[in-house]
Amino acid sequence: MIMKKINYILPLFMLLITFGCSDFDELNMDPTKSTDMDPNLQIPTIQMRQTENHQEWHRYLSYPTGFMNQWTGNWSTVEYGGHAKKYDNFMEQMWVSYYPIIIRDVVDVVQRTKDQPELVNVHSIARILRVQCFLKLTDFYGDVPYFDAGMGYYNGVFKPKYDKQEDIYNDFFKELEEACTALDPDADLITHDLYYNGNIEKWKKFGNSLRLRIAMRLIKADPAKARQQAEAAIAAGVFESNDDICFIKHENFQNPSEGVGKGNGLAIRLSNPEDPTQNAFRLTTELVKAMEDSKDPRILYYGGCYYTDANRTDITAQVKEQLLLYQEMSLPAQSFSWDEGIWRAPIDVVINGATVAVEHNYQRLQPSKLITAFDAPYLHMSYAEVKFLMAEAAFRGWNTGGGDANTHFQEGLEAAVRQWSLFGVSEFDEQAISDFKAFNTLTAGKELLQINTQLWVLHFMDPMETWANWRRSGMPAVTFYNRYPAENQSNGQTPRRLQYPTEEQLKNKANYDEAITRMGGTDDWLTRVWWDKE
Amino acid sequence: MKKKRNGWCCLFSTRSKLLLKMKLLTFVLFVSVVSVTANNGYSQKTKFNMSMENKTVQQIFEEIERKSEFILFYSKESVDLDRKVSVFVTDETVNSILDQVLDGTSNYYKIYGRQIAILSKENPEIPSLPGKSVAVTEQKKVTGSVKDVKGLPLPGVTVIIKGSSVGSTTDFDGRFSIQVSDPKATLVISYIGMKPLEFQLDGKDQVDVVMEEDNFSLNEVVVTALGIKRQLKALGYAVSEVSQEEITAGRESNVMSALSGKVAGVDISTTSAGPSGSTRVIIRGNSQLSGSNLPLYVIDGVPMDNTQLGSAGKWGGYDFGDGLSALNSADIESISVLKGASASALYGSRASNGVVLITTKTAKKEKGLGVELSLNINAVTLSSGFNDYQRVYGQGRNGQLTLDAADARSSTQSAWGAKLDPNLTMPIYNGEIKPFGNVNDNILSFFRTGITATNSIAFSGGNETSDFRLSISDLRNTDIVPESDMARTSFMFKGGSKLGEKIRVEARANYMREKVNNRPALSDSPNNIGNALIGIAPNFDQKWLSTGYKDEFGRYNQWNGNEYRLNPYWIINEMTNTSVKDRVMGHVQFNYDVTSFLSFQLKAGTDFYTFRLTEFTPISTPGAANGTMAERSVKVFENNYEGLIRFHKQVGESWDLSAFVGGNLMHYQSETFSNTGTGQVIPGLEAITNYNDFTLENSLYRKKVNSVYGSVNLGYKDFAFVDFTLRNDISSTLSKENRSYMYPSVSGSLVFSQLLKLEKGALSFGKIRASWANVGGDTEPYRLNLNYGLRSFTFQGNALGEISSTTIPLYNLKPTSTYSYEIGMDLRFFKDRLAIDLGYYNQSTKDQIISLPISRTSGFEYAMVNAGEIVNKGVELSLTGIPVQTRNFEWSSTINLSKNDNEVVKLHPDAVNYELASARWANASIYATEGEPYGVIVGKKFSRTADGSVIFDRGLPTYDSDLSVLGNGNYDFIIGAGNRFTYKRFSLNVLFDMKWGADLYSMTAMQSHSNGTSKNTLEGRKEWYESEELRRSQNIAVADWTPTGGKIGNGVKNIGTSENPEYVTNDVPVNPQSYWASIYENTPEPYIYDASYVKLRELTFSYSLPARLFAKSTIEEISVTAYGRNLWILHSNMKNVDPESNYNNGNGQGFEYGSLPSRRTYGLGINIKF
C-alpha cells in the first residue's frame, strides 16, 4: 500500500525535475540581446562615441586646452591645464573612455569581418576607424597597448603589452594603405555610417588624409618616412574640398551631466548648459590677438560677448565699440576672471533701450553660440588641415602632385573660413575672405610659422590635435606662464604627454613597468613621446 | 466566565460561515465578541515522532514524558496501563498519540499546558499522581487561583497536597479546588516552565498564588532548514532564534534592523537613507567577491527575493529599499538565523551566506476570535550632524570679503573668506545683502523632526481543525528631510485546516503596498542634500537658499558654481521622485500523512512584486536644462515548487531515525523597463509623453534551478545525534557540462550532560556540536556568451549597435564551492540561570565566479573567471544570565559577541586586487587584496622619510605614486549587550551595540577641509592673509613674492638632491587653502577614520496594565511601551557624521559620502488584546 504510493510519487518527482531542465540552454540566452549582430550596426556607435560624452570631454579638455592657450577662465582648464597641476582623474579619461568602449567595438568589427571578403568595405572602414582612435591614444600617452588591445575576447589576453609608438605608427601606415586599397565601391554596402553615409570614395580620401596627418607627425623623428608616407598618401588621393570633411553632425540634445547622449559633448561642455550666463570659458588674448593681427574673419564665429539676460543678448559690437580691439575683449591664457590684475571697470551698453553695466568678465569673448549649439558638428578632419599640411609638405620640397606651398596655404585659408557653413553660417563676407588671404601669403623664412599658426587657430575645437601639432612643429610659440609656481608640477614647462592611469599599475603591472622603463624610469608628463624628438 | 464561553461556543458553531464572511472583511464586527486565550501553545508546538509497536499503555505514556515536557496524570484504577497498543506518528502533536492510545476505552484526556490529565468517564474530576491511588478524605474544600507575573491565569497547573497523592489542576481561568484533610497542609504548586511553589494553608480556604517563569528548557525547539522544527539539542550547528518580543521592541520599520546587536555573528548595518532604505546583513563575514554577500531570506519555507532595487554607487543614486521592508514585524512569530554552511546546506547556493528563516504568526488554537491592536507613534530627530565647524572665517576666497553677487555665486560653499564680523555685510548668490556674522546651526536647521505612525490590527481564530489569522498594518512616515515621506500598508492572511485525520492544508498571502515620495538621494548625486549643505560657510544660513533659488520665470538660480551640488530647496520643492512597490507573497501547502512513519508534503510559494519609479527634473535644472522625466518599472517574481517525503521511525529502544528526500523547482524572472524623456515640451506638464526625446531600456533576467536533496538524521537515546545531507542543483546559468553539481554536509551533537547524568548538578545542560559542509553555487544568467545589443537611443535615425558586455564571458564557468566547518558548545548552569553558547567557525569559499577587473586595454572592464579564495574564521559567544531574580524583580542579561577574521587568501594569477567600490573625487577605492582582509580602503599615501615624516616640496606635501592600504571597511569585532529589568508589571530593556575595527573614509570631513569649514583649516590663515596683505600693498606679483607666513606643514623638506636627499624641517608657508586642496586632490589618508562606535541602540520601557482595571470589559491585556532607538553615541571618533553612514549596502563598505544626519527615534506604543 505504502510502496504503491511511493511508486507514484517518486517518478513524478523525477519527471518534474528532468522536465524542467530541457529549456536551460535557451533560458540562459539574454532575450534582449544578440550573439551575432551585423557589424555595420557598430560603425555609427564607434563614430559617435568619440564626441558624445559630456564628462569625458570636459576632462580631456582640461589639459590640452589649458596647455595650448586657446581657452581659459574655466576652473579645470586653468587650474589643471593652465597651471600644470596633475590630477589622475583627468589624465585617465582618454584611456578609460576609449579602450573599453570604442576600441572594444572597433577591434571587434575588424576581427569579425577579417575573413569575410563579402564584407571588405565594413572591414576596411573599421581599420581606418581603428587607426583614427589609436592615433589619439598614442599621441596622448606615448607607448600604449595596441596590437593586443581590445582583443580580450578573441585572444584571452587580459594584460596587453605596451607597444612602441614607432611600431604603432608603422602599423598605422600599413593599415591605412591596405584599407584604402581594399575599399571597393562595387563591394558590400555600408549601411550605417555617420561620416560619409556609405560613400566609399570619400572613405578612401579620409583614409589617405589621415595617413597624411600621421606622416607629418614624424617630421622630427623620421623625416624620410614622413616624406615617403606623405607623398604616398597625397598620391593616393586626399580631401579635395570642404565636401570631403570628416565630421559628425550632432542632434540638439543636452547630454546628461553624468553621461552620454546625442548632443555634441564638447559643445555642451563649452556652453555651460546648467546656466549659460555663468559660462566661465573665455577666448584667450593669445588666440584672439593672433586672429586679429592676421585679419581673420572668423573671430565672431569663435566667440561673442553675451549679456546675462535670459536671451544672452549679443553685445559684442557694443563692447568692441568701446574697447576698440577684439584682443582687448579676451582673457589672458591660464587665468581666471578673478585673478589679480584682470579686473576692469564695468562699461555701459544699451540693451532694448535700457542701459546696463557690463562687468569685466562679460566684456570678454565667450564661446560663440555657433560652437556651443548642442547640435554643432564635430569636425574630425578638415580639408583646410589637409591643405595646410600639403603647404608644409610643398614647402619642404616634397611631391604634392602639383601646387606650391602658398597655393595650398591660400586654399587652406579659404576652406578654413568656408567650413563654417557646417555650423550654419550661410553668408560669407567675400571681401573679408579675400583680404584674409591677401594678408596671409607665405612670407619667406616664416612659412612654417604661418602654416602651423593657422593649424593652431584651425584646431581650436580639437585641442588634442592642436597639442600634437604643436609638439610636432614647435609652432607657434605657446608660452607657459607658470602663474602659480608653488603648485606647478611641470617644472614650469608645458607638459608633453599625459601619465598612464594608476589602475594600470594594478591590473597590468609588468607591461606598464616595461613601458615606463623604456621612457627612462618614470611616468612623467615632461617625457616626450617617440615622434616628439628634442 | 460563563458568558465568555457562550461567546466562543456560539462563534464556533458558525465557523464555516465565518470563513466565507472573511472575504467580506466583516471582522470588525466581531471585535465585540468576547474571547479567552487558553495556553495550549506547548501541546501544539511540540511534535512527536514515535513508532511503537505492541507496547503497553504505560510504556507509551513514559515515552511521551521522556520525549517532551509533558507530565501525565492518571489513576491506575481508571486507566488500563497494561493494555497493548501500537502507535505510529510522524511530526504529530500529543493529541494524535493519545487519540490512538485511548481509542475504544472509557478514558479521555485534557491538556493543560504541559500537563495532561487522563480521565475516566466514571470519575471525571480529580486525577491523581501517576501510580498512586486516589485517596480522598472529604473534609474541607480549598479553592484558589494561579496566575503568572503578568496577572494572566495559568490553566493546567498541578496542585498537590504535600506528602500525599491528592492533587488537582487549574482550569481555564487558573482556578482550582481541592479537598484537604489537614487545614495546615502545604500545597505544592507546580507547572513546567515555572518555578515550583509551596504554600502553607494555615487554615485558609482561599489560595491565590503567582508563579514565576523558570528558564530551564531542555527541549527548546527551533526552526531549521526547510521549515523543519527540531530540538535545539539535536543540532550540530549554530542556530539563533529571535523572538517576536525582541523583533518588535524598538519598532524598526525594517525587520532586520531590529536584530542589530541581538544575534552573535551577524553584522547589521543601514544606509543614511532612513526608514525607506535597506539593511545590510552579513553573517560570519564577507565571502563573495562578485555578487551578494547577503543571506537568503525564507518566509514560512518560501524563499523571497531580497534584491535591492537600486542603491547609491560611485555616481550617486537612491536606496530603494529591499524586500524585507515588505514584512510587518508584528506578523512575525520568530526569526531563526542559520549561520553556517551546514545549517543552510539544504537551501543550496543562495544560502552559502547564511539563511534567515522567518516564521509568521499562526493563530493559536484559541477559543473564539482574538483581536490584537497595536498603536505606535514616534518622533525622529537628528542625532549627529554638521555642527562641529570653525566659526572664525566666512564665505569667500583668499581671506577676502566677497564683493559682488557673481563672485558670491561661485563661493557659497567656500569658507576661505574674511574674518567673521557681524557689523559687516556681504552680497549672497541672489544679490541680497546679508550680515557677515556667525549663524549657529546654519546647516542643521534645514532638517525637521520626522514622525512615524505604525498601527496594526490582527484578528485570529481557530478550533481543533482550522485556524486563521488576518492582520492589517499601516505605517506612515515623514522623514527628517522635508518633503520626504512614505506610507506602507500590508495585509497578511494565514490559515490552515485539517481535512480529515491525515491531511492538512495551509495557505498564506501577504500583500504590501509601499509608496515613497522624494527619497533622499545619496553619494555623488547632484541632488544629495547632504553634499549641498556641507561646506556652506558659518556666516551663511541655509534658510537663505530657500528664497531666491529660482528667478521670476521659475528658472534655477546658480548658488555655488557647482552643477553637481544643487540648491537643496530646489531639490525638495521642484524635483520629485515617487516610487510605488506592490508585493504579493504567499504559499499553499499540502500535507498528507501516508502512514504513521511516512508523510508527504507539497508546497508552492511565490514572491511577486512590481516597482514603479517616477523621477522628475524640471527645466533649467543644472545638468538637465531642458528637463527630464524617467519612468522605470520593474517586475520580479520567484516561484518555488517543493515536494518532500518524510520518514521517521524508532528503531529498537535507543535509535531514532528520520529522513527525507525532496525536490524543488525554482523559477526567477526580473524584467525592467525604463523610459527617460528629455526636453519637456509643454512647460510644467509632468507626463512622460510630454518630452522630445526618449531613451528606452529593457532587461530581462531569467533563471531556473532544479534541485533534489535529502537528509538522514540519527538520534541515539536522545543525547547523541548525527545528520547527513546531500543536495544536487541543476542551474540554468551554467553550461550543459557544468550545470549539475552536488554537495554534502554532516553534523553531529552530543548532549553530554544527559549522557553523564549531570543535570542534577550546577551544569543543567551541556552539549558539544560539530559540523562540516560544502555548498556549491551558480551565478547570474547570461554570463557564458558575448552579447551584442543596441544602445538605448538612436542617433540621426541610425540604430547604434555595440557589444553590450563589459565583461569577457566564459563559457566554461564552474560552480563555486564553499567549505566550512564549525564546532561549538552550549552550556547551561544553575537551572538555566546562566547559559553560554560558544562557537568557532572556519569557512572558505573557493573557485569564486568573479568578474575580475582587468586592464581596460583588453577592451573590457572585467573577465569572468573561476578564481579566488576567501577565508572567514571567527568566534561567536553568547552569554545569557539572570543575575537577579526575586519574586517581583528580575534582571536578565544577554551579551552577544563575535569576532571575525577575514582574509583574501587568493585572487587570480592575473590580479592581486579586486575593486569592490570606488568613490568619485575621493581618490580612494575599496579593494579585496590578496593577503589582506576583504574590503580594504586603498589610496595614495603621503611620501614619507624612513622615520615617517611627511616630505614637503615648496610647502606642499608630496605623495607616493603607488597605492597603499589605508584602512579596512569591515568591522571585525561586534558586541551586543542587552539587559532586561522587570519589576512587577514594569519592564525595561536596554541594548548597547558596539562595533570595532572598521575604518571609514569621510567625504564630509574631506569637504570640510577643502571648503575651509573644519577647525583644522584655521592654522596659518591669519599669517597667510597678513602676508598677502603685505604683498598687495607692495604691488608684487604672486610669482615674485616670498610669503611671510601661512600654513607650515608638519614634516620635512629635501635640501639635497633626489639621489642624495637631505631632510630638514619644513619651514615653507603656503596658503592654507592650497595646502588642503593639494591633499584633497592627492590622498584620502587624513580622512580615513576609525569607525568604531558604542551606541545605546535601543531603550524600551513597558508597563502592562493590571487586568482588574478592565476586568469587566472585553479587553484581555493592555500594555504601554515607551521606546527609543539610536539614542546615544557613547563613543565615536568621527566628527559631524555618524560612523554608521554608508551610502549603500554593497560589498565595498567604508565610504561616507555627503551623508544626511543620523536619526534618533523616540516613540510610544500601546498594545491591546481583546
Side-chain angles (χ1 to χ4, degrees), chain A residues 2 5-6 9-10 13-14 16-17 20-21 23-37 41-42 44-45 48-49 52 54-55 59 79-80 85 87-90 95-96 99-100 104-105 108 112 145 148-154 157-160 191-194 248-251 253-258 260-262 269 273-275 278 338 340 359 374 482-488 502-508, chain B residues 315 397 404 406 409 526 558 563-564 592 594-595 597-598 600 620 622-626 643-645 662-665 678 693 698-700 702-704 706-708 730-734 736 739 781-782 784-791 793-796 798-806 808-809 853-861 863 865 909-910 913 920-921 923 927 940 954 956 961-963 1028 1031-1032 1038-1039 1074 1080-1081:
Chain A
I2 298 153
K5 281 177 184 165
I6 294 173
I9 295 161
L10 273 181
F13 237 57
M14 297 318 291
L16 272 173
I17 305 288
C21 300
D23 58 344
F24 273 17
D25 283 321
E26 200 203 311
L27 195 75
N28 204 31
M29 300 298 262
D30 189 339
T32 66
K33 297 288 173 340
S34 154
T35 49
D36 179 27
M37 189 179 67
L41 284 166
Q42 285 164 277
T45 309
M48 87 167 285
R49 277 282 193 193
E52 66 172 7
H54 185 195
Q55 270 296 318
R59 290 174 184 175
E79 182 73 10
Y80 298 98
K85 275 170 73 176
Y87 194 17
D88 290 342
N89 266 348
F90 291 170
W95 191 284
V96 302
Y99 275 115
R104 175 192 63 186
D105 273 283
D108 181 69
R112 284 206 290 152
D148 284 343
M151 296 282 284
Y153 175 68
Y154 291 99
V157 173
F158 299 167
K159 298 175 169 181
T191 55
H192 293 71
D193 171 17
L194 300 171
I248 280 195
K249 174 82 175 138
H250 277 271
E251 289 190 30
F253 180 90
Q254 184 193 343
N255 304 346
S257 53
E258 299 297 343
V260 300
K262 308 181 205 189
R269 191 62 236 171
E274 56 271 21
D275 188 354
Q278 300 295 321
W338 59 75
E340 272 179 50
E359 288 172 359
F374 298 164
N482 201 15
R483 298 193 197 274
Y484 287 90
E487 293 167 25
N488 172 260
T502 43
E503 64 168 30
E504 281 287 293
Q505 290 176 27
L506 298 165
K507 297 173 180 171
N508 196 7
Chain B
W315 307 99
R397 287 190 199 90
D404 58 19
R409 266 195 289 276
Q558 268 298 320
E563 64 177 302
Y564 303 109
Y592 176 44
V594 183
T595 69
F597 57 86
L598 196 67
F600 183 68
S620 86
N626 297 327
L644 210 56
I645 300 166
N664 189 81
L665 305 178
T678 313
D693 233 301
N698 171 222
S699 72
L700 180 62
R702 310 177 296 192
K703 178 174 174 173
K704 280 185 182 175
N706 297 346
S707 316
V708 277
I730 305 167
S731 167
S732 69
T733 59
L734 297 170
K736 197 170 274 173
R739 70 169 59 122
Y782 320 142
L784 311 183
N785 302 97
L786 190 71
N787 284 322
Y788 297 87
L790 299 183
R791 298 183 70 189
F793 49 83
T794 59
F795 182 72
Q796 309 233 339
N798 285 284
L800 299 169
E802 64 177 356
I803 294 176
S804 44
S805 318
T806 51
I808 300 174
I854 52 171
S855 171
R856 290 184 162 109
T857 60
S858 66
F860 295 82
E861 314 251 353
V865 293
D910 281 349
N913 291 290
R920 192 174 171 199
W921 311 124
N923 294 314
Y927 281 158
K940 289 181 181 175
R954 288 168 286 166
L956 293 175
S961 53
D962 294 337
L963 298 171
E1028 282 288 283
R1031 178 183 67 78
R1032 278 191 291 264
V1038 174
S1074 312
Y1080 149 66
E1081 280 156 15

Side-chain angles (χ1 to χ4, degrees), chain B residues 39 221 694 704 758 871 896 989:
Chain B
N39 191 353
V221 173
F694 296 96
K704 280 185 182 175
L758 298 171
V871 172
N896 290 305
N989 269 294

Side-chain angles (χ1 to χ4, degrees), chain A residues 133-295:
Chain A
C133 296
F134 271 109
L135 179 67
K136 291 182 190 195
L137 285 165
T138 183
D139 288 351
F140 225 54
Y141 297 103
D143 293 357
V144 291
Y146 174 74
F147 292 102
D148 284 343
M151 296 282 284
Y153 175 68
Y154 291 99
N155 65 7
V157 173
F158 299 167
K159 298 175 169 181
K161 72 176 198 351
Y162 286 56
D163 297 300
K164 284 187 199 155
Q165 191 177 52
E166 184 174 4
D167 299 340
I168 298 171
Y169 263 68
N170 286 335
D171 195 64
F172 285 165
F173 294 130
K174 182 197 91 152
E175 285 292 293
L176 290 174
E177 185 176 3
E178 286 179 11
C180 290
T181 311
L183 278 169
D184 177 1
D186 298 326
D188 58 308
L189 212 59
I190 303 299
T191 55
H192 293 71
D193 171 17
L194 300 171
Y195 288 176
Y196 295 117
N197 199 20
N199 185 324
I200 298 300
E201 287 307 329
K202 290 200 174 182
W203 269 104
K204 280 191 182 216
K205 290 186 204 170
F206 174 52
N208 290 323
S209 302
L210 195 59
R211 190 171 165 198
L212 171 63
R213 175 193 276 181
I214 295 170
M216 296 307 284
R217 288 273 202 280
L218 304 189
I219 208 77
K220 291 194 278 189
D222 190 347
K225 176 159 268 167
R227 173 175 190 165
Q228 174 226 327
Q229 288 296 332
E231 287 180 344
I234 294 166
V238 291
F239 289 162
E240 290 169 311
S241 76
N242 276 352
D243 290 345
D244 295 333
I245 291 174
C246 175
F247 74 98
I248 280 195
K249 174 82 175 138
H250 277 271
E251 289 190 30
N252 186 14
F253 180 90
Q254 184 193 343
N255 304 346
S257 53
E258 299 297 343
V260 300
K262 308 181 205 189
N264 181 327
L266 175 62
I268 292 167
R269 191 62 236 171
L270 276 174
S271 73
N272 198 45
E274 56 271 21
D275 188 354
T277 65
Q278 300 295 321
N279 194 349
F281 278 109
R282 295 293 182 273
L283 284 175
T284 61
T285 309
E286 287 76 355
L287 180 68
V288 177
K289 186 173 188 313
M291 293 175 81
E292 196 164 35
D293 290 352
S294 61
K295 292 193 192 277

Side-chain angles (χ1 to χ4, degrees), chain B residues 10-139:
Chain B
C10 194
L11 186 67
F12 265 52
S13 60
T14 56
R15 197 174 180 299
S16 55
K17 283 181 197 163
L18 189 75
L19 283 168
L20 291 171
K21 285 186 187 168
M22 275 179 331
K23 287 178 190 160
L24 305 170
L25 282 175
T26 52
F27 286 95
V28 185
L29 297 173
F30 289 89
V31 174
S32 57
V33 177
V34 182
S35 68
V36 150
T37 311
N39 191 353
N40 264 3
Y42 181 77
S43 67
Q44 291 307 313
K45 267 196 253 173
T46 312
K47 300 288 165 81
F48 287 84
N49 291 314
M50 200 183 273
S51 67
M52 297 185 77
E53 220 167 337
N54 216 21
K55 293 280 170 12
T56 64
V57 170
Q58 178 152 13
Q59 277 173 312
I60 291 168
F61 284 179
E62 283 165 6
E63 181 67 9
I64 291 173
E65 290 184 336
R66 200 176 66 78
K67 285 199 157 175
S68 68
E69 293 173 11
F70 285 117
I71 293 179
L72 284 90
F73 297 92
Y74 48 89
S75 133
K76 276 185 177 172
E77 282 70 29
S78 46
V79 182
D80 180 4
L81 294 171
D82 298 325
R83 191 168 52 90
K84 295 225 168 155
V85 288
S86 295
V87 173
F88 300 102
V89 292
T90 310
D91 199 24
E92 289 280 8
T93 61
V94 73
N95 303 51
S96 53
I97 301 176
L98 293 173
D99 287 343
Q100 288 184 40
V101 172
L102 302 179
D103 190 28
T105 69
S106 67
N107 294 108
Y108 66 102
Y109 63 93
K110 276 190 172 175
I111 301 173
Y112 307 112
R114 288 167 168 80
Q115 326 225 349
I116 301 170
I118 309 294
L119 302 165
S120 155
K121 280 159 192 163
E122 289 99 55
N123 184 14
E125 283 309 317
I126 309 162
S128 72
L129 281 183
K132 303 267 174 131
S133 59
V134 184
V136 182
T137 322
E138 280 189 46
Q139 256 191 2

Side-chain angles (χ1 to χ4, degrees), chain A residues 31-75:
Chain A
T32 66
K33 297 288 173 340
S34 154
T35 49
D36 179 27
M37 189 179 67
D38 178 357
N40 265 292
L41 284 166
Q42 285 164 277
I43 299 294
T45 309
I46 295 160
Q47 293 170 332
M48 87 167 285
R49 277 282 193 193
Q50 301 181 48
T51 52
E52 66 172 7
N53 197 324
H54 185 195
Q55 270 296 318
E56 269 57 64
W57 263 116
H58 171 41
R59 290 174 184 175
Y60 59 83
L61 267 174
S62 302
Y63 286 118
T65 310
F67 297 158
M68 287 296 104
N69 293 356
Q70 291 172 323
W71 293 106
T72 191
N74 179 60
W75 170 258

Side-chain angles (χ1 to χ4, degrees), chain B residues 654-656 714-722:
Chain B
S654 319
W655 291 92
D656 188 79
L714 268 176
Y716 179 71
K717 285 197 170 164
D718 233 21
F719 61 75
F721 305 88
V722 193

Side-chain angles (χ1 to χ4, degrees), chain B residues 6 122 127 136 145 147 180 230 233 258 335 548 559 597-598 649 686 898 1000 1002 1028 1099:
Chain B
N6 284 343
E122 289 99 55
V136 182
S145 72
K147 291 177 180 172
V180 290
R230 301 193 53 196
K233 67 181 177 188
I335 295 180
W559 70 289
F597 57 86
L598 196 67
K649 205 167 170 86
E686 293 180 31
S898 49
L1000 187 66
S1002 172
E1028 282 288 283
L1099 188 69

